[in-house]
Amino acid sequence: MLFHVHASSGVPLYQQIVGQVKNAVASGASRAGDSLPSVRKLAADLRINPNTIARAYQELEREGITRTVPGGGTYVADIKPGILKSEKQKRLRPLARQLAVESVQLRFDSDECVEMLKAELRELGEKP
Amino acid sequence: MNEWAIETRQLSKYYGDVKALDGLTLKAPKGSVYGYLGRNGAGKSTTLKVLLGLARATSGEAHVLGERVRPENLAILERTAYVGENKPLYEWMSAEQMVRFTRGFYKSWSDEAARRYAEMLEIPMRRKIKKLSKGNRTKVSLLLALAQGAELLMLDEPTSGLDPVYLDDVLRTLVEHHVNEGRTVFFSSHDLSEVEQIAEWVGIIDNGKMLLEARLDDIRENFRTVIASGNGLPETGENIASVTRDGNFRKYVLARGGESFAASLEQQGAAVLEVKAMSLREVFLALLRKESANVSVEVLA
């Protein structure tokens, strides 16, 4: 698995790593049993502090996304579909909120806002 | 067991009337990478000099690796490696000769490590120091410091003047072969993007005092810029680090609680235009551009 962190985005680096693992899992790019790079390797690859990686891995384990075999590395866990669904919602919700906030500030009513979203979905070939 | 690689309490250093350090309290955890930031003349280099025993503190105390700092305490120098701003090297020696010259001073010196760093950093070891580029001189200094096998590496502006590829090599080497072994790096720097990349902890000092010392991810998690417009907006308040004004507009920098602050402004009828996370550079400028800052931001727990 490949990672990228953006140090000046203002988002904590450990959260960026947690988010990237979750995205990979939610999109099916990483599956149960796939291994994650070791803390030391990822720290060297990203030029960031190993403590930050360790914190990300602890968080992932706590949320049940990964499991750690003592002395044997970190792996994607068998994740319950419920968790995946809620992860996906977590990712989409801030974008939905952003759309809602902007549309209120710019004084669109809710029909106009929804219509615009539907138009974008049609553009992508999705049936609204 | 002491969890701090460096710990100072109310450390002051006066040069005549000039207070270079003014009651500085600093704590760098063992095994961390600590970026030490401040403007020119803020007291960064003086701090390093006092910690290394090269200058005597006027008052207060400092501990390095659990040892009380005193100029006559040489145990610290045995366990600490230092790369200064000027990187003094013997011009007429080659890098290889510098290695042979330096190794005798350190009990924990590793020839194998020196060879590995030379290869990894692609240092031309046979060339005379005076013929080396600035980047290569920095790499030689770093090699000499790393091969000492010191528990604590203190670097004063280690990467100033390095091109981005050199810088990347140096950062990788530091993480891979020093921090990954559980050892500590304490470095002062102007380059906020580099600090942001590699540091786990930052301390920002001004006029010899600590303004903010925190885990960098906690700064990212807590500091927010809030832009709002309305009548009767607050000018001060808990957690407000600075305010910039323009007509009915206010730009706030909050040390924490940005989202709930924005919500309370909205309840009072103000329009909140933006709530944004901040880069280290933005936090640094907000704390040090003092026209409107009420500094003394508490350490984020």
Side-chain angles (χ1 to χ4, degrees):
Chain A
M1 181 170 180
L2 289 174
F3 292 84
H4 173 79
V5 294
H6 183 27
S8 33
S9 69
V11 179
L13 296 186
Y14 85 95
Q15 281 181 9
Q16 295 186 34
I17 292 164
V18 166
Q20 284 168 36
V21 173
K22 285 179 175 174
N23 283 343
V25 172
S27 66
S30 288
R31 290 160 210 272
D34 286 357
S35 72
L36 268 62
S38 71
V39 169
R40 299 167 65 103
K41 179 173 187 311
L42 191 53
D45 286 349
L46 297 177
R47 281 70 160 153
I48 68 175
N49 195 283
N51 292 344
T52 304
I53 315 270
R55 189 173 176 193
Y57 281 16
Q58 277 161 16
E59 180 69 21
L60 285 164
E61 176 138 12
R62 203 179 55 77
E63 294 187 33
I65 309 292
T66 61
R67 63 193 159 78
T68 302
V69 180
T74 302
Y75 301 88
V76 176
D78 286 312
I79 301 161
K80 297 195 188 83
I83 295 181
L84 274 190
K85 181 81 182 170
S86 85
E87 276 309 320
K88 290 184 185 185
Q89 285 170 344
K90 243 195 244 167
R91 186 159 159 72
L92 203 53
R93 182 154 298 127
L95 299 172
R97 190 178 306 135
Q98 180 82 20
L99 179 63
V101 167
E102 297 273 336
S103 100
V104 169
Q105 283 184 351
L106 298 171
R107 300 183 202 290
F108 285 96
D109 65 31
S110 79
D111 286 346
E112 287 171 306
C113 172
V114 170
E115 194 40 59
M116 203 174 282
L117 180 60
K118 283 181 174 168
E120 288 298 323
L121 285 167
R122 276 196 297 273
E123 192 82 357
L124 292 171
E126 299 282 333
K127 276 190 209 126
Chain B
M1 242 304 272
N2 191 330
E3 59 186 309
W4 310 111
I6 300 172
E7 185 184 13
T8 76
R9 275 181 233 129
Q10 292 298 318
L11 193 68
S12 295
K13 172 70 187 171
Y14 302 165
Y15 292 105
D17 292 341
V18 180
K19 294 180 178 179
L21 297 179
D22 188 10
L24 180 80
T25 296
L26 182 161
K27 285 178 176 176
K30 271 190 185 159
S32 68
V33 178
Y34 188 113
Y36 193 42
L37 308 172
R39 303 185 60 186
N40 291 330
K44 301 191 296 287
S45 296
T46 305
T47 309
L48 286 165
K49 274 187 206 141
V50 170
L51 292 175
L52 288 161
L54 302 175
R56 196 179 284 273
T58 310
S59 63
E61 58 181 272
H63 290 84
V64 170
L65 299 169
E67 303 263 359
R68 176 80 188 263
V69 173
R70 283 192 194 86
E72 54 283 0
N73 187 348
L74 299 179
I76 292 170
L77 296 180
E78 186 60 49
R79 297 165 66 197
T80 304
Y82 170 67
V83 179
E85 222 170 339
N86 304 321
K87 306 177 184 88
L89 297 166
Y90 291 109
E91 300 289 327
W92 46 272
M93 285 190 186
S94 67
E96 211 163 45
Q97 288 167 320
M98 272 307 302
V99 166
R100 264 182 272 146
F101 173 74
T102 309
R103 59 193 277 201
F105 293 107
Y106 299 97
K107 275 188 230 141
S108 50
W109 180 273
S110 160
D111 277 333
E112 197 256 311
R115 259 197 304 278
R116 206 173 54 214
Y117 296 132
E119 201 171 302
M120 202 158 44
L121 293 167
E122 299 179 353
I123 301 172
M125 295 299 286
R126 301 241 159 113
R127 204 174 296 165
K128 291 258 190 287
I129 300 289
K130 66 177 171 219
K131 299 229 164 111
L132 292 182
S133 67
K134 191 169 181 187
N136 273 325
R137 293 172 70 102
T138 300
K139 287 179 173 186
V140 172
S141 304
L142 200 66
L143 175 154
L144 295 174
L146 285 168
Q148 288 171 31
E151 292 157 64
L152 169 64
L153 195 55
M154 286 204 224
L155 309 167
D156 195 3
E157 302 282 344
T159 56
S160 61
L162 292 193
D163 74 43
V165 178
Y166 273 125
L167 176 61
D168 194 55
D169 286 349
V170 167
L171 293 183
R172 183 179 177 106
T173 307
L174 278 179
V175 172
E176 200 161 46
H177 295 280
H178 189 79
V179 187
N180 264 342
E181 307 300 328
R183 295 182 281 197
T184 311
V185 182
F186 181 85
F187 72 112
S188 74
S189 180
H190 279 122
D191 185 338
L192 295 176
S193 65
E194 143 203 325
V195 172
E196 212 163 32
Q197 179 78 31
I198 194 175
E200 185 196 5
W201 282 80
V202 296
I204 299 177
I205 67 160
D206 199 35
N207 293 324
K209 288 193 184 76
M210 186 65 75
L211 284 187
L212 172 67
E213 182 176 64
R215 206 187 283 270
L216 190 46
D217 265 358
D218 288 341
I219 292 178
R220 293 184 177 108
E221 204 149 355
N222 288 294
F223 271 83
R224 293 288 181 276
T225 301
V226 176
I227 299 179
S229 157
N231 290 315
L233 290 172
E235 301 294 335
T236 56
E238 205 189 350
N239 299 325
I240 298 177
S242 77
V243 189
T244 314
R245 303 166 187 86
D246 183 26
N248 272 346
F249 287 84
R250 296 287 179 280
K251 181 160 107 182
Y252 299 96
V253 171
L254 283 110
R256 64 170 77 226
E259 282 75 9
S260 59
F261 177 73
S264 77
L265 291 184
E266 275 176 333
Q267 270 175 5
Q268 293 162 31
V272 173
L273 306 166
E274 192 119 277
V275 181
K276 269 233 155 74
M278 299 170 73
S279 68
L280 180 59
R281 188 185 129 79
E282 291 168 320
V283 171
F284 185 84
L285 286 173
L287 293 181
L288 291 173
R289 279 276 157 82
K290 285 228 216 79
E291 73 254 18
S292 59
N294 6 298
V295 181
S296 162
V297 177
E298 287 300 303
V299 172
L300 303 166

